[in-house]
């Protein structure tokens, strides 16, 4: 399964800054504008899960293998096949219970551009 990048907010850090920092640390992607999309209940105390999609530098990804198993860019048609569970390589997207599913679906179906 492929999903969205996620991370943790440091004490005293703005959510938007955390999105930029985590995305840069995990995948080497420098983000521009960060926009609020939604939040999701999270079962762990003192934790916050939110989704602030960001626009990044599409030129390259530098993966921190301590943080991520892999990272890559996908086009809309390929992601649509993941949502439909019909990708030729068996790739899938997160289930509707995950906020990442809704971000991905908004990008694929509604053409929502973040940033």
């Amino acid at each position: 399964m492929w999903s969205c990048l996620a991370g943790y907010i440091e004490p005293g850090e703005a959510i938007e800054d955390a999105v930029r920092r985590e995305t840069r640390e995990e995948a080497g992607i420098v983000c521009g504008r960060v926009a609020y999309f939604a939040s999701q209940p999270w079962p762990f105390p003192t934790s916050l899960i939110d989704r602030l999609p960001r626009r990044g530098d599409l030129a390259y990804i530098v993966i921190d293998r301590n943080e991520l198993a892999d990272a890559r860019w996908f086009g809309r048609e390929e992601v649509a096949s993941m949502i439909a569970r019909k990708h030729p390589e068996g790739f899938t997207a997160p289930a509707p219970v995950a906020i990442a599913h809704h971000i991905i679906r908004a990008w694929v179906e509604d053409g929502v551009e973040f940033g």
Side-chain angles (χ1 to χ4, degrees), residues 2-68:
W2 290 88
S3 188
C4 299
L5 292 174
Y8 293 95
I9 298 171
E10 300 291 335
E13 184 176 36
I15 294 172
E16 297 86 352
D17 292 337
V19 168
R20 289 183 189 98
R21 178 185 51 75
E22 286 284 344
T23 304
R24 185 183 64 252
E25 288 175 1
E26 293 181 1
I29 300 168
V30 177
C31 297
R33 183 173 169 260
V34 176
Y36 178 81
F37 181 79
S39 64
Q40 172 180 333
W42 193 244
F44 303 106
T46 67
S47 294
L48 169 69
I49 185 168
D50 57 34
R51 293 309 314 158
L52 287 91
R54 70 293 264 166
R55 177 163 295 191
D57 180 350
L58 300 180
Y60 64 91
I61 297 174
V62 179
I63 301 166
D64 178 343
R65 295 291 177 180
N66 293 317
E67 296 282 341
L68 300 174

Side-chain angles (χ1 to χ4, degrees), residues 69-90:
D70 206 353
R72 62 181 272 197
W73 299 109
F74 293 97
R76 277 191 176 88
E77 287 184 23
E78 190 171 13
V79 175
S81 71
M82 291 179 197
I83 292 170
R85 304 284 198 248
K86 294 181 179 181
H87 191 279
E89 295 178 60

